[in-house]
């Protein structure tokens, strides 16, 4: 226990983690040690975030995707997926519902759908910013050129989420077809940051072939990138993908990593993800108690929810936005935290 505590304290003090430290922590952790780690993570986040959990309204506006990622339920070759696109009017009406509930961030997430040209995206972003000038707009629509990202930014988009999925290029190639590369994905993140977006990267935990070494490389990549947000959740198999028979990622491992991320990136926005809530009914609560500070309730129209199935069993597909919002509020309160309706920018970000 003393060695473990010493390592955790060192990670906290240096805001960095070596391969040896990560390996020791992950291979020696038990319930008692985990409690020490989580307590440290809370100690780090409390003076910065004061037990606030920021909410982001998630609008899944298209499940059409030109990519064929091996893990993802909306991959282009899944012919069982019933495809949909939301119109600009539908997206705006999601925002209207969200604004009434108090959301100050709208996340537009979708597959890489060529129908939404840069002009269409910019038009949607402008319309939202026009109608809700005090709200942040986050885009999560995949890999684009520097020029496209710049157009989105100039149209008023504030943030961009693009998980790097894994920093190790060989591992990246195990999860994606050959036309996609880890190097390009990382370049996209660097471009987004250079343009001025608040950026979010992240990984799935427990994807096929993932090792502690890979996770260490993720930490090293993120130390260099300095993202504003880091989204992690367990890998969950989807029945219509090549990974249908692969085991689900570990919930405890995900929570341990959230806590370690909090120690290494004290000011980062760390969502307690839907995948975490899917893998374990109390997963998001456990995540918050280990340092997570963001939740993303679903604002998509209920009739499309079932269709945005990235993995099997996804939660919240039957709940109206208001129910989802209320449910999250209660869950957060139950563990002694509160949801906050501010934009929830990164502490170092100035408007
Ligand atoms: N299990 C868990 N997370 C997944 N994602 C995609 N497919 C899965 C899955 N099967 C995550 C990816 C992607 C994000 C939008 O959802 O990390 O970047
Ligand atoms: Fe959506 Fe509970 S968070 S229903």
């Amino acid at each position: 226990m003393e060695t473990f505590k010493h390592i955790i304290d060192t990670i906290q003090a240096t805001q960095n983690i070596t391969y040896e430290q990560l390996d020791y922590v992950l291979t020696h952790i038990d319930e008692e040690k985990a409690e020490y780690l989580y307590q440290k993570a809370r100690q780090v986040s409390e003076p910065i975030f004061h037990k606030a959990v920021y909410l982001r309204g998630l609008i899944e506006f298209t499940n059409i995707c030109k990519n064929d990622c091996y893990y993802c339920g909306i991959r282009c070759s899944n012919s069982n997926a019933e495809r949909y696109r939301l119109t600009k009017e539908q997206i705006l009406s999601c925002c209207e519902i969200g604004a009434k509930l108090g959301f100050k961030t709208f996340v537009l997430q979708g597959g890489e759908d060529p129908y939404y040209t840069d002009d269409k995206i910019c038009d949607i972003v402008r319309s939202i910013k026009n109608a809700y000038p005090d709200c942040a707009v986050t885009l999560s629509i995949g890999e684009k050129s520097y020029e496209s990202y710049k157009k989105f930014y100039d149209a008023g988009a504030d943030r961009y989420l693009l998980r790097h999925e894994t920093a190790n290029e060989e591992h990246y190639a195990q999860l994606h077809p050959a036309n996609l590369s880890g190097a390009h994905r990382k370049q996209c993140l660097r471009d987004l940051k250079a343009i001025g977006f608040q950026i979010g990267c992240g990984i799935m935990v427990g994807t096929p072939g993932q090792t502690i070494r890979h996770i260490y490389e993720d930490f090293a990549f993120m130390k260099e990138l300095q993202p504003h947000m880091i989204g992690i959740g367990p890998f969950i198999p989807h029945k219509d993908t090549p990974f249908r028979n692969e085991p689900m990622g570990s919930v405890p491992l995900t929570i341990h990593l959230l806590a370690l991320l909090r120690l290494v990136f004290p000011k980062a926005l760390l969502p307690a993800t839907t995948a975490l809530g899917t893998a374990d009914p109390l997963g998001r609560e456990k995540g918050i108690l280990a340092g997570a500070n963001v939740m993303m309730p679903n604002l998509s129209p209920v009739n499309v929810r079932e269709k945005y199935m990235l993995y099997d069993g996804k939660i919240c597909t039957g709940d109206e936005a208001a129910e989802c919002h209320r449910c999250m509020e209660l869950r957060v309160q139950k563990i002694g935290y509160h949801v906050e309706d501010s934009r929830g920018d990164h502490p170092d970000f100035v408007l």
Side-chain angles (χ1 to χ4, degrees):
M1 187 71 181
E2 286 318 304
T3 314
F4 185 89
K5 282 185 175 173
H6 177 72
I7 290 175
I8 296 300
D9 295 354
T10 309
I11 295 167
Q12 182 193 353
T14 57
Q15 297 181 13
N16 206 347
I17 191 164
T18 64
Y19 172 72
E20 289 69 29
Q21 290 167 337
L22 179 68
D23 184 63
Y24 187 94
V25 170
L26 296 183
T27 52
H28 289 79
I29 198 155
D30 57 21
E31 253 175 63
E32 193 193 354
K33 295 190 179 86
E35 208 27 70
Y36 184 80
L37 169 61
Y38 302 163
Q39 194 194 314
K40 277 280 161 187
R42 291 195 294 271
Q43 257 176 42
V44 168
S45 67
E46 273 196 36
I48 309 171
F49 298 106
H50 314 287
K51 295 206 170 188
V53 174
Y54 303 117
L55 295 188
R56 324 288 201 204
L58 180 64
I59 304 167
E60 299 154 334
F61 70 98
T62 171
N63 72 345
I64 296 176
C65 191
K66 65 178 162 66
N67 293 334
D68 214 16
C69 309
Y70 302 149
Y71 46 82
C72 185
I74 64 168
R75 63 202 303 267
C76 63
S77 56
N78 178 12
S79 53
N80 288 332
E82 216 186 294
R83 307 289 172 167
Y84 73 90
R85 286 182 178 122
L86 299 186
T87 63
K88 176 178 154 186
E89 289 65 39
Q90 286 175 305
I91 296 171
L92 282 165
S93 91
C94 293
C95 295
E96 192 185 332
I97 294 168
K100 289 206 177 101
L101 290 170
F103 290 108
K104 293 278 185 305
T105 294
F106 300 116
V107 181
L108 298 185
Q109 185 173 87
E112 291 196 13
D113 180 352
Y115 168 83
Y116 295 93
T117 56
D118 291 354
D119 285 347
K120 285 204 179 81
I121 295 290
C122 288
D123 178 45
I124 294 167
V125 169
R126 268 190 228 103
S127 305
I128 299 175
K129 293 294 284 193
N130 220 5
Y132 310 100
D134 58 340
C135 292
V137 171
T138 304
L139 293 175
S140 179
I141 53 175
E143 297 179 33
K144 308 270 173 182
S145 67
Y146 182 98
E147 292 68 34
S148 298
Y149 287 148
K150 181 79 171 81
K151 285 189 211 163
F152 303 156
Y153 186 77
D154 292 338
D158 301 272
R159 311 183 185 136
Y160 204 103
L161 305 180
L162 183 73
R163 289 195 181 169
H164 64 286
E165 313 298 358
T166 172
N168 180 280
E169 313 250 326
E170 287 80 50
H171 187 222
Y172 196 92
Q174 281 176 262
L175 307 179
H176 302 91
N179 67 318
L180 298 173
S181 83
H184 187 256
R185 196 136 182 119
K186 289 177 187 157
Q187 188 52 47
C188 287
L189 281 161
R190 295 191 182 101
D191 288 347
L192 288 161
K193 182 131 195 244
I195 289 167
F197 283 100
Q198 292 180 67
I199 59 163
C201 64
I203 63 167
M204 287 172 283
V205 176
T207 40
Q210 186 181 53
T211 63
I212 294 181
R213 176 70 65 182
H214 294 151
I215 298 173
Y216 166 71
E217 289 176 29
D218 291 317
F219 273 94
F221 168 66
M222 294 189 287
K223 270 311 272 188
E224 177 215 312
L225 180 66
Q226 287 294 325
H228 304 86
M229 186 170 198
I230 302 167
I232 72 166
F235 159 72
I236 303 173
H238 186 291
K239 63 179 177 18
D240 300 317
T241 64
F243 289 168
R244 60 179 65 84
N245 293 322
E246 299 292 336
M248 185 169 94
S250 149
V251 170
L253 176 58
T254 306
I255 315 264
H256 302 154
L257 290 174
L258 275 170
L260 290 170
L261 286 168
R262 176 55 69 214
L263 300 186
V264 176
F265 303 94
K267 294 179 180 171
L269 296 156
L270 297 179
T273 56
T274 306
L276 188 52
T278 298
D280 176 337
L282 290 176
R284 288 169 298 178
E285 286 86 336
K286 292 177 188 170
I288 291 166
L289 290 168
N293 61 348
V294 173
M295 291 225 261
M296 301 170 82
N298 205 315
L299 270 186
S300 312
V302 172
N303 67 312
V304 305
R305 297 269 185 101
E306 290 274 352
K307 298 176 187 160
Y308 202 83
M309 263 310 156
L310 305 184
Y311 43 81
D312 290 336
K314 189 170 162 228
I315 53 169
C316 303
T317 55
D319 304 277
E320 290 291 348
E323 295 171 301
C324 220
H325 182 267
R326 185 74 195 129
C327 171
M328 291 220 182
E329 234 172 4
L330 291 173
R331 284 171 181 269
V332 164
Q333 281 166 15
K334 213 169 178 170
I335 54 170
Y337 286 66
H338 62 274
V339 303
E340 206 166 284
D341 279 343
S342 68
R343 275 176 43 132
D345 289 292
H346 186 278
D348 291 342
F349 177 84
V350 273
L351 255 186

